[in-house]
Amino acid sequence: ADNFLHEVLKSLLHEDSTIQELDLRGNGLTKDDVNLLLDLVSSHRSLVRLNQIPVLEEEAATCPTLIIDGTGMKGPEKPQEDDDDEEDPADEAYAKEVFQHDVVRMDEGDGYVFLQLVAPNSFPELREVTLRKLEIPHDSTLAHITDALLQLRSVEVLRLSHLRLTSRGASLLLQAVAELAPRLTSLNGLPLARLVQLKDHPEGGPLDLGDSIEWNDFTLGVMARLNLWPVISFGGAGINKELHLQGQSFTDVGLRGLCAMLRHFATQGPTGRSSGAVNLTKIDLSGNLQITDATVADLCHTLKTPHMGSALRGLRELNLRSCMRLKTRSAYELLNFVQHVREAARDPGAQQNLRMVNGVDLEALQLSSRADRAGRATTAPSMLLRSFLEQQG
């Protein structure tokens, strides 16, 4: 199989080949495969990009922005008058998966390509790196990527968006982000270097954050790891702007970071350094494939923290449906949390706006319980039962 793959690589990049762009991500390449690939690339005359990375010295030397994107391509439109099977253009070739998926898997060899090509001496002017819509299932791949990022001392802007990682993989990438923090002017829109500076020199009060930040594993995780919540505020320009979470791509790293944020603001008084409530109307983790029972239990305990109602003035929905790794413990913790909310609602002075938990209308549930105790006829509150459907091939 290896010999066949090597022959395929040689046929793609023979000396008379006119290929200009080549994307081999997700084909299970190993380091040995990549070493051969890079030898072929170094002697190829027309190749411009490999795996979306410039390979020409002149272009790489002046490249300020590098975007590694897994967004699938739009399928070519078939002429209405032509009923024959669709064919690729004469000078292009695609695997059908390019049009069917909106993420690209990066294997160990793909990470090694990134490490070998995206080097400081090759990209001296590089200021911004984006990794978006990538599935990286192996820690060895992330090790290559993080090694490359740590060496790029010119990079000031880092965007990590919609990545499919394991919790361990997210922890590895978060560790690299924390090391890069003092020189990152922006992480997904978060002014990270400025916040690190404020932590060391807090004169002038907390910094008001805007609404252009993407809150995911890495923004929430680095804020918790570096203990930066005390130097920010949502009490200024951001108080009326909703905080949006990238819940489906969370791992345990992001959920722990969210819990750290919630606990911080729940303990702040109105005159605290980082005053201002968090405008978070929905915590939607439905369909998440990574979070586990332990972090869901932490979230449920966190939401029962005293004064959480005043910290989360607008939270109305908590959704953890169809999270495949959650088992009995999560159901138990959610049930205890619902009971806590119902008991808190009996307190006239309680600030509690939560309305829906996993499709259960808590207000209707409460009214139903009161009507039942009074002997009146009741109707069951609206509920959503979870089911799993297997797609037939």
Side-chain angles (χ1 to χ4, degrees):
D2 289 344
N3 290 335
F4 175 73
L5 176 60
H6 290 182
E7 291 303 315
V8 170
L9 294 176
K10 292 175 183 177
S11 69
L12 286 172
L13 296 170
H14 61 84
E15 62 180 10
D16 296 325
S17 165
T18 59
I19 190 169
Q20 295 184 344
E21 296 196 21
L22 180 60
D23 195 336
L24 294 171
R25 292 174 298 170
N27 283 287
L29 299 187
T30 66
K31 290 178 64 175
D32 290 338
D33 300 330
V34 170
N35 285 328
L36 170 64
L37 175 62
L38 294 178
D39 285 341
L40 295 171
V41 168
S42 65
S43 58
H44 199 268
R45 290 176 295 181
S46 62
L47 191 68
V48 176
R49 285 181 179 81
L50 174 63
N51 292 2
Q52 300 186 336
I53 304 171
V55 296
L56 297 180
E57 292 184 4
E58 299 82 1
E59 182 179 355
T62 58
C63 178
T65 302
L66 181 63
I67 299 176
I68 307 299
D69 195 345
T71 303
M73 298 184 61
K74 181 180 179 181
E77 295 183 2
K78 186 176 181 180
Q80 294 182 354
E81 67 276 5
D82 186 4
D83 294 328
D84 296 334
D85 292 338
E86 187 78 30
E87 294 185 1
D88 293 329
D91 59 345
E92 300 176 12
Y94 305 98
K96 66 179 181 179
E97 287 79 10
V98 171
F99 306 111
Q100 294 175 347
H101 300 284
D102 61 354
V103 296
V104 166
R105 190 183 75 246
M106 290 188 68
D107 300 308
E108 181 183 13
D110 304 322
Y112 190 60
V113 167
F114 188 87
L115 175 63
Q116 294 299 310
L117 294 183
V118 188
N121 57 339
S122 301
F123 288 81
E125 300 298 323
L126 190 60
R127 297 290 181 268
E128 180 177 338
V129 174
T130 296
L131 303 178
R132 179 171 56 215
K133 292 193 174 182
L134 304 172
E135 180 182 4
I136 310 177
H138 304 298
D139 296 345
S140 56
T141 309
L142 275 170
H144 294 316
I145 294 174
T146 55
D147 286 348
L149 292 175
L150 290 171
Q151 294 174 18
L152 295 169
R153 304 196 65 83
S154 61
V155 171
E156 300 173 346
V157 176
L158 184 60
R159 301 182 187 278
L160 306 172
S161 180
H162 295 90
L163 301 182
R164 296 184 183 178
L165 311 174
T166 65
S167 291
R168 175 173 168 77
S171 295
L172 289 173
L173 190 49
L174 176 60
Q175 181 177 346
V177 169
E179 293 184 39
L180 293 168
R183 61 177 189 261
L184 287 181
T185 59
S186 174
L187 170 68
N188 293 355
L190 182 73
L192 192 52
R194 175 62 177 150
L195 297 180
V196 171
Q197 184 181 24
L198 280 174
K199 179 185 175 183
D200 296 332
H201 306 284
E203 297 84 0
L207 179 69
D208 285 336
L209 296 182
D211 61 345
S212 60
I213 299 169
E214 180 178 333
W215 293 104
N216 60 15
D217 273 1
F218 308 103
T219 42
L220 290 168
V222 78
M223 289 292 290
R225 178 165 294 196
L226 300 181
N227 192 28
L228 297 176
W229 291 116
V231 300
I232 68 98
S233 172
F234 294 108
I239 191 168
N240 295 318
K241 298 172 183 176
E242 185 176 351
L243 199 69
H244 295 282
L245 306 175
Q246 296 294 331
Q248 282 196 335
S249 63
F250 270 19
T251 67
D252 285 347
V253 169
L255 193 49
R256 282 194 293 266
L258 174 63
C259 292
M261 180 193 77
L262 297 177
R263 286 192 295 268
H264 170 76
F265 284 99
T267 60
Q268 297 301 302
T271 59
R273 287 182 58 206
S274 52
S275 60
V278 180
N279 189 3
L280 181 63
T281 63
K282 178 190 294 187
I283 298 178
D284 186 0
L285 305 173
S286 59
N288 186 291
L289 303 178
Q290 297 295 338
I291 57 174
T292 62
D293 286 336
T295 48
V296 169
D298 189 16
L299 175 63
C300 291
H301 297 164
T302 298
L303 291 173
K304 291 189 285 186
T305 302
H307 309 299
M308 185 60 70
S310 59
L312 290 176
R313 296 175 183 170
L315 183 63
R316 298 185 60 81
E317 182 176 350
L318 173 63
N319 191 346
L320 289 158
R321 293 193 297 260
S322 300
C323 297
M324 297 301 200
R325 296 188 66 184
L326 300 187
K327 301 186 183 301
T328 305
R329 183 183 175 188
S330 293
Y332 172 78
E333 297 291 351
L334 280 170
L335 178 60
N336 280 344
F337 174 62
V338 169
Q339 291 173 342
H340 167 81
V341 173
R342 294 181 65 191
E343 292 172 1
R346 298 189 184 105
D347 182 1
Q351 298 185 46
Q352 182 61 258
N353 297 312
L354 190 64
R355 176 69 180 262
M356 301 286 292
V357 176
N358 273 25
V360 179
D361 187 326
L362 299 184
E363 184 175 338
L365 185 65
Q366 192 79 1
L367 292 175
S368 174
S369 174
R370 291 172 182 170
D372 184 56
R373 288 197 301 268
R376 297 193 300 270
T378 62
T379 57
S382 58
M383 301 181 68
L384 179 63
L385 300 180
R386 181 174 66 182
S387 61
F388 299 98
L389 300 178
E390 293 186 3
Q391 189 174 15
Q392 299 296 324

